[in-house]
């Protein structure tokens, strides 16, 4: 028994109403009164009262015999989504991606000329430098940083390329502003970035933009792999499709939350 139940503050009628809603699912989109009563353990009379209340509130539709949830039921989920921050929205999708590809996943935002990690789901450690929420890296040498740089207004990007100190972090790091601009233009066209051992030797990373409800890029999500996983093209073939799908799912949940 929970503390709420022991203290008399547990509202059993609310519990039963939610049980009625949960009785509907993909396999049972329509239910009769008897089926709802059986699924919830309620009497027919109690199930009928809950169902008719939900009908009156606009959450359930009935043709007189069958009952089904109405789109308004999504309001309950949207209320939850609207209370979440970007890391909280992204976290379950990142966890699903990591379980699928068995590589670490991160989300970052741009802060000046650096990326700041705001969410991370690691697998094995593949970098000499530990990464956690709050870690910063120079944007020009990271896949997420390049996605975020590529989304900036032209004037901002001109100033950045004119003043940024593009230091060689490895022998592969792009340090020429003109070459970096060409790379960023390509990212805009293709919709993702791939960095091949420019931040650290042996590390390859792919990133995709996360768009807000207004279409602007608000963050980037990446997946990183050790170069020993395979060739550059093989890693792109294996990791890019699930990464892009993850970015879309995060965007969909962000959009759902912003509609509240």
């Amino acid at each position: 028994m929970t503390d709420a139940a022991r203290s008399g503050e547990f509202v059993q009628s609310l519990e039963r109403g939610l049980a009625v809603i949960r009785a509907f699912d993909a396999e049972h989109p329509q239910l009769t009164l008897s089926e709802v009563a059986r699924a919830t353990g309620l009497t027919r009379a109690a199930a009928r009262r809950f169902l008719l209340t939900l009908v009156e509130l606009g959450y359930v539709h009935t043709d007189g015999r069958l009952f089904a949830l109405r789109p308004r039921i999504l309001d309950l989920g949207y209320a939850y989504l609207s209370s979440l921050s970007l890391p909280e929205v992204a976290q379950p999708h990142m966890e699903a991606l990591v379980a699928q590809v068995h590589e670490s996943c991160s989300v970052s935002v741009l802060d000046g000329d650096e990326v700041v990690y705001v969410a991370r789901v690691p697998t094995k450690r593949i970098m000499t430098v530990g990464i956690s929420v709050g870690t910063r890296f120079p944007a020009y040498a990271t896949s997420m940083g390049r996605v975020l740089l590529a989304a900036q207004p032209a004037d901002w990007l001109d100033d950045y390329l004119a003043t940024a100190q593009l230091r060689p972090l490895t022998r592969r790091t792009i340090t020429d502003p003109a070459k970096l601009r060409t790379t960023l233009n390509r990212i805009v066209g293709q919709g993702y970035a791939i960095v091949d051992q420019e931040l650290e030797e042996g590390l390859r990373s792919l990133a995709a933009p996360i768009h807000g409800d207004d279409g602007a890029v608000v963050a980037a999500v990446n997946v990183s792999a050790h170069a020993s996983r395979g060739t550059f093209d093989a890693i792109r073939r294996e990791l890019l499709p699930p990464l892009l799908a993850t970015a879309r799912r995060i965007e969909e949940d962000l959009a759902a939350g912003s509609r509240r």
Side-chain angles (χ1 to χ4, degrees), residues 132-161:
S132 60
V133 172
T135 295
R136 293 172 174 263
F137 287 122
Y140 69 91
T142 66
S143 60
M144 289 189 290
R146 288 185 183 172
V147 163
L148 295 167
L149 289 174
Q152 298 308 304
D155 290 347
W156 187 97
L157 190 57
D158 289 342
D159 290 342
Y160 170 81
L161 292 172

Side-chain angles (χ1 to χ4, degrees), residues 96-119:
L97 176 62
V98 169
Q100 178 182 358
V101 303
H102 308 294
E103 301 290 357
S104 299
C105 177
S106 304
V107 168
S108 73
V109 296
L110 190 65
D111 183 21
D113 58 0
E114 295 179 315
V115 291
V116 181
Y117 284 65
V118 297

Side-chain angles (χ1 to χ4, degrees), residues 74 76 88 122 194 212 230 255:
L74 294 173
L76 302 178
E88 291 170 320
I194 301 180

